[in-house]
């Protein structure tokens, strides 16, 4: 969604003005520094003439940033157990795919992140009570809309070209057979960080349009599917944790590669 400053100014001026303390200075004063994200977005629009694609706007709360390194470390540890188990079972393709997941996480910078949710000016203007103070944000900004969809399949991690009309069913049809062997579900993470779980097997197949910058994680098979793939009984616990926690971590990844982030507020 693209909105110009003129249109936004008419839409939100009254709401933002209602939050300000009325004053009538005798002399003109320089504009006050923004203290909230909505105010900061308005300042950006006043100085930058190009429209903003709000679907890829982001913000990272300090509370989110503090947890991410530990979350990533725990995921790598759980994957290491699953990789060993798959190798012992003689399932080399699954072991290689899960090892690729662990390598991608180890190479990832947890600080280049976003808090899942909406931080675009149109939404903040309609929900001023949810307008976060800049002091509570590690950074904020927006990403250029990318030309890819990222896939975490049982065959590894790759980016597929995005095209208009691309949906989950078409994406899955284009993957190799090892990418979803025995898997019944996939987690779809949209550019706003929303996670949806959909069926991808023949018996429960669902689909959903995919926006550029989305991520799709093929979830590890349930206990019956894992019985022949992983020999250690306890690994079903690790697989369940991966299915729950990896999509949540991917939801904190930036929805593009070229991102303009600014604002380093103090914790508050």
């Amino acid at each position: 969604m693209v909105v110009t400053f003129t249109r936004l100014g008419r839409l939100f001026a009254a709401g933002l003005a209602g939050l300000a303390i009325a004053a009538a200075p005798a002399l003109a004063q320089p504009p006050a520094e923004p203290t909230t994200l909505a105010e900061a977005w308005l300042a950006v629009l006043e100085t930058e003439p190009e429209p903003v694609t709000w679907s890829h706007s982001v913000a990272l709360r300090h509370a989110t940033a503090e947890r991410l390194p530990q979350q990533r470390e725990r995921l790598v540890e759980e994957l290491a157990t699953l990789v060993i188990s798959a190798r012992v079972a003689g399932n080399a393709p699954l072991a290689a795919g899960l090892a690729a997941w662990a390598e991608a996480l180890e190479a990832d910078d947890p600080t280049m992140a976003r808090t899942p949710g909406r931080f675009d000016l149109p939404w903040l203007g309609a929900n001023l009570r949810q307008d976060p103070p800049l002091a509570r944000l590690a950074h904020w900004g927006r990403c250029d809309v990318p030309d890819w969809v990222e896939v975490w399949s049982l065959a590894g991690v790759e980016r597929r070209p995005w095209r208009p009309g691309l949906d989950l069913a078409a994406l899955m049809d284009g993957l190799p057979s090892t990418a979803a062997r025995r898997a019944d579900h996939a987690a779809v993470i949209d550019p706003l960080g929303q996670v949806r779980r959909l069926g991808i097997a023949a018996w429960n197949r669902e689909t959903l349009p995919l926006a550029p910058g989305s991520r799709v994680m093929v979830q590890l098979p349930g206990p019956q599917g894992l019985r022949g793939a992983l020999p250690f009984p306890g690994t079903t616990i690790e697989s369940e944790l991966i299915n729950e926690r990896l999509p949540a971590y991917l939801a904190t990844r930036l929805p593009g590669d070229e991102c303009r982030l600014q604002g380093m507020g103090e914790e508050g």
Side-chain angles (χ1 to χ4, degrees):
M1 177 171 53
V2 176
V3 184
T4 63
F5 171 67
T6 301
R7 183 180 172 189
L8 284 168
R10 290 198 302 265
L11 187 60
F12 303 131
L16 292 175
L19 298 179
I21 299 175
L27 298 174
Q29 299 293 325
E33 287 295 321
T35 60
T36 71
L37 183 55
E39 293 173 357
W41 276 126
L42 285 173
V44 167
L45 292 177
E46 287 179 336
T47 58
E48 297 186 10
E50 70 271 14
V52 174
T53 304
W54 297 112
S55 60
H56 288 66
S57 57
V58 298
L60 175 64
R61 296 182 186 274
H62 284 295
T64 303
E66 290 171 357
R67 298 190 295 263
L68 290 175
Q70 184 177 3
Q71 290 173 358
R72 185 189 65 163
E73 182 179 353
R74 180 68 185 275
L75 285 168
V76 172
E77 293 173 353
E78 291 162 352
L79 284 169
T81 300
L82 293 174
V83 168
I84 294 172
S85 186
R87 287 173 178 166
V88 172
N91 193 333
L94 179 60
L98 297 181
W101 287 13
E103 291 172 3
L105 287 171
E106 288 178 331
D108 183 62
D109 181 357
T111 65
M112 295 303 293
R114 53 92 54 78
T115 298
R118 292 191 62 171
F119 294 94
D120 55 284
L121 183 55
W123 188 86
L124 293 173
N127 300 271
L128 289 175
R129 293 180 182 272
Q130 305 300 319
D131 185 14
L134 291 180
R136 295 186 180 179
L137 302 180
H139 57 235
W140 59 275
R142 74 273 202 195
C143 299
D144 293 341
V145 179
D147 59 359
W148 49 258
V149 170
E150 189 171 278
V151 185
W152 292 61
S153 78
L154 304 185
V157 182
E158 63 175 316
R159 287 182 173 179
R160 291 285 175 121
W162 179 86
R163 65 179 186 276
L166 180 66
D167 61 14
L168 178 62
L171 178 72
M172 297 304 302
D173 288 342
L175 298 178
S177 59
T178 56
R181 188 178 180 185
R182 297 192 179 100
D184 292 330
H185 296 90
V188 178
I189 303 99
D190 68 20
L192 294 174
Q194 179 182 13
V195 180
R196 293 187 61 179
R197 184 171 181 262
L198 294 107
I200 57 173
W203 62 272
N204 69 345
R205 192 175 175 96
E206 300 174 276
T207 194
L208 182 76
L210 298 176
S214 297
R215 289 177 167 85
V216 175
M217 175 208 160
V218 175
Q219 296 201 302
L220 296 175
Q224 290 184 339
L226 282 174
R227 191 165 295 157
L230 301 172
F232 301 157
T235 53
T236 57
I237 297 175
E238 280 80 4
S239 66
E240 291 171 357
L241 289 175
I242 291 294
N243 284 344
E244 175 185 351
R245 295 176 181 176
L246 183 53
Y249 183 83
L250 294 178
T252 68
R253 301 302 85 200
L254 295 172
D257 295 320
E258 302 297 328
C259 301
R260 285 163 284 182
L261 305 176
Q262 54 188 306
M264 300 296 293
E266 300 296 330
E267 290 190 50

